Amino acid sequence: MAKTAIITGGAGGMGLATARLLGADHRIVLADLDQERLDTAAAILADNGIEAGTFVCDITDRDSVGGLFRDAAGGGTVRAVVHTAGVSPQMGDAAKMIRINALGTVNLTKAALGAAGEGFALVNVASIAGHLIPRAIQPRRSYRLALTDPERFTAKLTTVAHRAPQRLRSGLAYGISKHFVIWFSQEMAESFGAKGARILSVSPGSFDTAMGRLEEASGSGRLVDHAALQRYGRPEEVAEVLAFCASERPGYLTGTDILCDGGVNAGLGRKDRLAMASGR
């Protein structure tokens, strides 16, 4: 049977660009919330000679995620998953950031572990925002609840974000959720490794996608000011990283995060980090 790659957020800029690359030697299953957008993305891939199925999936719902994996496995062994689905601060409140970005990643990762076998790879998309959260406000003790009590885990992280002033809550929740994705991808490496499988995260900086431009005034534009490359990244550039990490070539790459930010993190001083964390 054909090798299959699942791409969540597959109708978005990064997801679709990654599908174009993985589609060279995988059957693609695109997952997203909107069937019309999925149909458009699948048609684009078909024009490029890439076979793609679609599945409407709510990653905050474990049953929906389970359905995605069952559907994908019907067309071939699921060998890779690239999890790009998520929301940014302008797209909702703190609770929404945590449920989609953090709990959604828990659901997706657990389902991926159930499907994993020798040579399998899961790549979770985190964010440079996860690298900018000061250690003092990282709720690491609550992260382990993701393994035993997902609902309590979600509530705890949301409570931490609500300690900030109203205008900062969504941004803080976003940063915490993406810091969690980095932590969780490392935490789960041993479980995946026991199956001969890999898991890691990739943290993009500011990219020229619909989501990236939505955040231009509130954060992504400011990050570009500090970038060594002084520009937004192109979706195709981060897709190269995502597709490579998900491929079978980097067989010893697991349990780590890869920062793809145009040199932003390297250019941020302590004062810059504090200013961004406080929303100044």
Side-chain angles (χ1 to χ4, degrees):
M1 296 180 75
K3 295 183 297 184
T4 297
I6 295 172
I7 301 178
T8 70
M14 287 185 190
L16 184 55
T18 304
R20 284 193 177 102
L21 298 174
L22 284 178
D25 56 1
H26 289 77
R27 172 181 175 265
I28 299 296
V29 174
L30 302 175
D32 217 308
L33 279 172
D34 185 274
Q35 185 64 60
E36 186 174 346
R37 294 185 69 226
L38 282 169
D39 290 342
T40 298
I44 291 171
L45 294 178
D47 287 343
N48 288 275
I50 297 171
E51 178 189 1
T54 65
F55 192 91
V56 174
C57 180
D58 176 0
I59 61 172
T60 69
D61 184 327
R62 286 180 296 175
D63 291 338
S64 183
V65 174
L68 165 63
F69 276 79
R70 288 190 296 273
D71 180 81
T77 301
V78 178
R79 198 214 56 81
V81 180
V82 179
H83 177 40
T84 78
V87 289
S88 61
Q90 296 299 308
M91 298 171 70
D93 60 13
K96 185 174 182 178
M97 297 301 112
I98 299 301
R99 287 197 67 81
I100 294 177
N101 295 344
L103 180 62
T105 298
V106 173
N107 292 339
L108 195 288
T109 299
K110 287 183 176 180
L113 180 61
E118 191 73 32
F120 178 93
L122 166 61
V123 182
N124 288 321
V125 173
S127 168
I128 186 176
H131 290 261
L132 300 180
I133 293 293
R135 188 172 183 84
I137 58 174
Q138 296 169 3
R140 289 173 176 262
R141 290 185 179 180
S142 297
Y143 287 172
R144 291 198 174 275
L145 289 170
L147 301 168
T148 58
D149 192 342
E151 289 303 321
R152 189 172 173 221
F153 157 77
T154 303
K156 284 275 191 180
L157 266 59
T158 302
T159 297
V160 171
H162 281 172
R163 292 172 185 162
Q166 180 71 42
R167 66 185 179 85
L168 300 179
R169 289 176 185 174
S170 290
L172 177 58
Y174 178 77
I176 289 172
S177 71
K178 292 301 188 177
H179 183 266
F180 168 77
V181 171
I182 295 169
W183 177 90
F184 193 57
S185 299
Q186 295 172 354
E187 181 69 17
M188 294 298 289
E190 184 176 356
S191 296
F192 277 79
K195 293 188 163 191
R198 299 183 296 110
I199 177 175
L200 65 149
S201 58
V202 171
S203 289
S206 296
F207 277 82
D208 192 8
T209 62
M211 185 181 293
R213 290 298 182 180
L214 180 64
E215 301 294 330
E216 186 168 6
S218 61
S220 66
R222 292 172 63 199
L223 289 175
V224 169
D225 292 339
H226 294 279
L229 294 179
Q230 287 290 293
R231 64 172 175 84
Y232 277 81
R234 296 186 295 275
E236 294 78 12
E237 291 173 319
V238 71
E240 290 283 356
V241 179
L242 295 171
F244 173 73
C245 290
S247 75
E248 296 176 272
R249 287 173 289 171
Y252 208 56
L253 183 65
T254 193
T256 192
D257 180 74
I258 295 176
L259 187 61
C260 183
D261 69 345
V264 172
N265 197 50
L268 284 174
R270 182 171 178 274
K271 289 183 178 180
D272 298 320
R273 293 171 188 274
L274 290 173
M276 288 189 177
S278 63
R280 297 197 299 271

